[in-house]
């Protein structure tokens, strides 16, 4: 029996591109398309100077599915010149996931034209 198995993690290209386009306003720390992981650097909104966020996106499938992406938002607040972690924002995580899914669907529709 001479079978060789190649295991390669491939992520859905529409979810991947949709994720990158959705968070393109944030500086990237790392992006690993094979593993499906995107990590941003800390981002400070100019209107909320005492808070910063960092996003980790994990694309978990090669199919365009609603459960194919997981977003984690890391929040920090600045008090007395020191950044400290706060609770994650699940509402913001869900909102970003939904934006990525919408962007991925648009990319897929446009690819079929």
């Amino acid at each position: 029996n001479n079978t060789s198995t190649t295991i390669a993690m491939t992520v859905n290209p529409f979810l991947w591109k949709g994720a990158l386009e959705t968070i393109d306003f944030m500086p990237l720390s790392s992006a690993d398309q094979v593993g499906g992981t995107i990590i941003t650097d800390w981002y400070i909104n100019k209107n909320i100077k005492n808070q910063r966020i960092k996003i980790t996106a994990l694309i978990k499938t090669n199919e365009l599915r609603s459960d194919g992406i997981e977003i984690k938002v890391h929040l920090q607040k600045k008090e007395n010149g020191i950044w400290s972690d706060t609770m994650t924002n699940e509402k913001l995580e869900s909102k970003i996931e939904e934006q990525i899914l919408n962007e991925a669907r648009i990319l897929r529709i446009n690819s079929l034209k």
Side-chain angles (χ1 to χ4, degrees):
N1 191 345
N2 191 10
T3 27
S4 68
T5 306
T6 304
I7 298 171
M9 170 63 176
T10 56
V11 299
N12 183 276
F14 303 115
L15 283 175
W16 178 259
K17 194 165 191 305
L20 287 174
E21 289 183 10
T22 300
I23 60 175
D24 72 349
F25 65 95
M26 298 181 70
L28 281 182
S29 178
S30 70
D32 173 16
Q33 188 169 4
V34 175
T37 307
I38 301 168
I39 302 171
T40 70
D41 206 346
W42 289 106
Y43 171 78
I44 300 172
N45 181 322
K46 64 180 181 186
N47 299 322
I48 315 169
K49 294 192 187 315
N50 67 334
Q51 179 179 296
R52 63 183 184 178
I53 67 169
K54 182 178 186 172
I55 295 175
T56 302
L58 176 61
I59 299 165
K60 306 184 287 186
T61 179
N62 62 356
E63 299 171 62
L64 180 49
R65 299 184 354 200
S66 61
D67 62 349
I69 186 144
E70 182 180 321
I71 296 294
K72 285 285 175 222
V73 173
H74 311 276
L75 281 170
Q76 288 188 340
K77 288 199 179 220
K78 190 175 191 180
E79 293 177 10
N80 302 322
I82 298 170
W83 290 103
S84 60
D85 292 333
T86 62
M87 299 292 287
T88 61
N89 188 331
E90 291 179 11
K91 190 183 253 186
L92 183 56
E93 290 171 349
S94 295
K95 185 177 176 186
I96 293 169
E97 285 173 8
E98 202 52 47
Q99 286 179 323
I100 290 170
L101 288 166
N102 286 337
E103 185 64 33
R105 287 183 195 109
I106 291 167
L107 290 166
R108 182 173 184 277
I109 289 166
N110 288 340
S111 77
L112 299 173
K113 290 181 179 174

